Amino acid sequence: MNTIHPPLDPATRQLWTQLQQTLEVVSARHPDAVFASSFGAEDMLLSHAIFESDLPIHVFTLDTGRLPAETVAMIDVIRQRYGVAIQVMRPDEAAVQGHVAAHGEFGFYESIELRKACCAIRKVQPLRLALKGHSAWLTGQRREQSQTRAQLADAEYDGVFGLQKYNPLAAWTDKEVWSVIRALAIPYNPLHDRGYPSIGCEPCTRALRPGEDLRAGRWWWEQKLSKECGLHAGNLQES
């Protein structure tokens, strides 16, 4: 695509150039690499870098069936902006219905075990299918996001899914992410402007209150150290 960008300040240009170089290295090492996007700010930044450089990294998303309308709408936003049709992975409907029948539509509020079971059906299993046969995947995780991600590596072997995992934004700050997004006019989920720095399923996400950390709105009824859904289970194992 290689869109002509407006002049960038030196710090922003350096961040952007380093990210492009990192993604080029990853795609050269792993021509079959894939990127799981939730359409959050970090993921839109990575998607923009992938599309702008015409990299062979395949971008997909997980539609749990319970995403906010604003998140689902980002599929069309990407299609219109970049001319790319994002692959959408969905959970097994029979598994979803079985879980709901056994535990209720909102059973995940009752215990961490039931919440993780819901995440496993709606997110982890579709992700496992999407990653099958690939040698590497990328995420938009950052160390600054939460305690469970404080020791996040730039690159690591993902023993849960059995492939290499890259976190190109691991060392980035929230300020740096948004400086690049705004400088390059990258589209983003409008919920970010309403107090949602981290956006998941609608029943499991709320806006932040003053003084809360960036992921406090995710699974807001749980304790901090439980706040991973299974997509990045290694974070909990390391913490």
Side-chain angles (χ1 to χ4, degrees), residues 160-179:
V160 176
F161 296 107
L163 74 172
Q164 193 69 16
K165 182 177 184 179
Y166 292 91
N167 307 301
L169 301 179
W172 285 48
T173 66
D174 190 60
K175 181 179 179 180
E176 288 171 337
V177 169
W178 282 101
S179 71

Side-chain angles (χ1 to χ4, degrees), residues 181-200:
I181 286 177
R182 299 196 187 285
L184 301 182
I186 298 173
Y188 61 86
N189 192 321
L191 288 175
H192 288 308
D193 291 334
R194 302 176 205 163
Y196 291 77
S198 179
I199 306 166

Side-chain angles (χ1 to χ4, degrees), residues 38 62-72 91 105-106 108-109 115 118-124 189 191 196 198-207 217-221 229 231:
S38 66
L62 305 174
D63 184 352
T64 65
R66 308 198 81 160
L67 298 178
E70 293 87 347
T71 300
V72 176
E105 190 174 0
F106 299 99
F108 46 82
Y109 289 135
R115 194 271 290 171
C118 183
C119 288
I121 293 170
R122 293 180 182 271
K123 299 174 73 173
V124 179
N189 192 321
L191 288 175
Y196 291 77
S198 179
I199 306 166
C201 290
E202 190 167 37
C204 301
T205 311
R206 63 161 172 78
R218 300 292 296 276
W219 309 296
W220 37 268
W221 62 95
C229 62
L231 302 187

Side-chain angles (χ1 to χ4, degrees), residues 1-8 13 16 48 52 81 183-185:
M1 182 172 289
N2 298 316
T3 300
I4 298 176
H5 293 126
L8 304 177
R13 178 170 296 281
W16 177 243
H48 185 84
E52 288 287 290
R81 172 69 180 269
L184 301 182

Side-chain angles (χ1 to χ4, degrees), residues 51-118:
F51 300 146
E52 288 287 290
S53 298
D54 294 321
L55 296 176
I57 299 170
H58 177 68
V59 181
F60 68 92
T61 193
L62 305 174
D63 184 352
T64 65
R66 308 198 81 160
L67 298 178
E70 293 87 347
T71 300
V72 176
M74 295 303 295
I75 296 174
D76 286 333
V77 170
I78 289 175
R79 183 184 296 112
Q80 293 169 10
R81 172 69 180 269
Y82 304 104
V84 175
I86 296 293
Q87 180 187 15
V88 180
M89 301 295 295
R90 295 184 173 88
D92 179 79
E93 187 60 28
V96 170
Q97 293 302 322
H99 182 80
V100 171
H103 305 291
E105 190 174 0
F106 299 99
F108 46 82
Y109 289 135
E110 297 177 11
S111 70
I112 292 177
E113 290 70 27
L114 285 179
R115 194 271 290 171
K116 288 187 175 181
C118 183

